[in-house]
Amino acid sequence: MKVNWQGVIPAITTKFNRDDTIDYTFFANHCRWLVDAGCIGIVPLGSLGEGATLSFEEKIALLKTALEAIGDRVPVIPGIASLSTTEAVRLAQAAEHIGCSGLMVLPPYVYSTDWREMKAHVDAVLRATSLPAMLYNNPLAYKTDFLPEQIAELAREHSNLQAVKESSADVRRIAAIRALIGERLELLVGVDDCLVEAVQAGAVGWIAGLVNAFPHESVALFQLAQQARLGQGDQAQLEALYNWFLPLLRLDTVPKFVQLIKLAQEMVGMGSAQVRGPRLELEGEELASARQIIEEALKHRPVLN
């Protein structure tokens, strides 16, 4: 299936049962719910999906579940991340073999060094399959920063590199990448609370987090932002929706974003706050503060047209 990078693509969470096993039935329903709301793809196994805590076998089972749940409606684009290059290549090849449509390629977990080594890792994954790929740049989380000129170098050498998820939180990067490579790559924003600014700068897609709990609002916000960039749509409606959404979107930008987004899912009746270790569920003042933010948003939840 051809990958369309232009729209809202959830970095989907992974729901666990109380015995720490994966709730595959919920995962399938969650995939369908997100697609029904207008999302154009699904990204499992990312950091929000707690990919680092999943075994190889669990990762493959989740991908098969997503593929069975949504069929040919939208592409499944797994996050490819690992401690080792060999394991990342193995996962990428397995994803292609079972029918995934694309890949989101991350730098290796834990080990981060210079461009020569990080490029070699990404090169190996991109060469391992023929699937279209999106590079995930998140220097805050992974301590590897793919600079615009380095992204341009990868784009020149790999025809299957089609997109970049830019999560440096610096919207100037979008213009800098575009200045070097023109329209060669699709640029997507990966930081929820700068969505509107990133679209204004030229981002065409959103790898979203809070979409797991608020898919209809996420799709509406992205569409309004796109219209505003073209000088169309209702600016007042965009501002009202963004202002309502921002306290929630900021939950995506802190170290405990997984716990916070899963708590939001639980509070809207679409998931559980349970996480896998080393993460622990929120408690005490931290939990109370998060609940207050989510409850306030739910109290004033907008009615969408």
Side-chain angles (χ1 to χ4, degrees), residues 10-302:
I12 191 170
T13 55
T14 304
K15 183 175 181 291
F16 300 109
N17 299 305
R18 278 296 159 192
D19 63 357
D20 214 33
T21 58
I22 296 172
D23 186 340
Y24 292 102
T25 299
F26 174 86
F27 184 78
N29 290 333
H30 194 196
C31 287
R32 287 188 285 264
W33 185 60
L34 294 168
V35 175
D36 289 345
C39 297
I40 63 165
I42 297 291
V43 173
L45 315 185
S47 48
L48 184 52
E50 297 173 77
T53 74
L54 303 173
S55 70
F56 188 88
E57 292 71 25
E58 287 175 326
K59 290 179 179 181
I60 298 303
L62 280 167
L63 296 182
K64 288 180 177 178
T65 301
L67 289 165
E68 291 169 4
I70 58 181
D72 59 359
R73 296 177 65 191
V74 301
V76 175
I77 309 162
I80 304 299
S82 176
L83 289 171
S84 75
T85 302
T86 299
E87 184 82 354
V89 165
R90 180 181 172 219
L91 181 58
Q93 291 173 333
E96 181 175 36
H97 178 73
I98 64 176
C100 292
S101 298
L103 306 173
M104 182 175 75
V105 182
L106 285 73
Y109 287 144
V110 182
Y111 183 69
S112 177
T113 175
D114 57 26
W115 167 234
R116 183 176 72 91
E117 290 188 324
M118 294 299 95
K119 183 188 178 189
H121 176 87
V122 174
D123 279 343
V125 178
L126 291 174
R127 290 193 183 107
T129 83
S130 61
L131 291 178
M134 171 175 58
L135 178 69
Y136 181 14
N137 185 42
N138 189 337
L140 297 176
Y142 300 113
K143 312 307 177 188
T144 295
D145 191 2
F146 294 106
L147 301 176
E149 56 270 24
Q150 295 167 345
I151 292 171
E153 185 176 327
L154 288 169
R156 287 193 298 270
E157 296 177 8
H158 298 279
S159 60
N160 62 326
L161 181 60
Q162 294 186 357
V164 177
K165 176 186 175 183
E166 179 53 60
S167 295
S168 66
D170 182 356
V171 296
R172 295 172 299 178
R173 287 291 186 91
I174 293 171
I177 296 168
R178 187 67 75 215
L180 285 173
I181 60 176
E183 302 298 318
R184 165 66 182 83
L185 297 177
E186 306 274 27
L187 303 182
L188 294 85
V189 58
V191 181
D192 280 5
D193 71 345
C194 67
L195 179 274
V196 172
E197 295 84 350
V199 170
Q200 283 294 322
V204 299
W206 181 16
I207 307 298
L210 267 298
V211 67
N212 283 280
F214 298 96
H216 294 282
E217 292 87 348
S218 298
V219 170
L221 179 64
F222 181 79
Q223 291 173 345
L224 286 167
Q226 279 186 313
Q227 292 167 10
R229 184 170 186 266
L230 298 173
Q232 303 168 358
D234 187 330
Q235 183 67 32
Q237 187 181 6
L238 170 61
E239 290 178 4
L241 182 56
Y242 199 30
N243 289 337
W244 168 81
F245 217 163
L246 270 173
L248 293 168
L249 297 177
R250 292 186 182 114
L251 301 178
D252 179 60
T253 64
V254 295
K256 294 186 181 179
F257 71 106
V258 175
Q259 292 93 320
L260 290 162
I261 290 173
K262 291 183 111 175
L263 174 65
Q265 284 185 248
E266 183 174 274
M267 291 179 66
V268 301
M270 198 61 189
S272 163
Q274 184 176 346
V275 289
R276 260 189 183 173
R279 291 182 176 89
L280 299 173
E281 290 182 41
L282 304 174
E283 61 180 22
E285 184 177 337
E286 198 171 34
L287 175 60
S289 176
R291 280 190 171 278
Q292 183 177 2
I293 291 170
I294 299 165
E295 286 169 355
E296 186 68 17
L298 291 174
K299 191 186 305 180
H300 301 287
R301 195 170 189 173

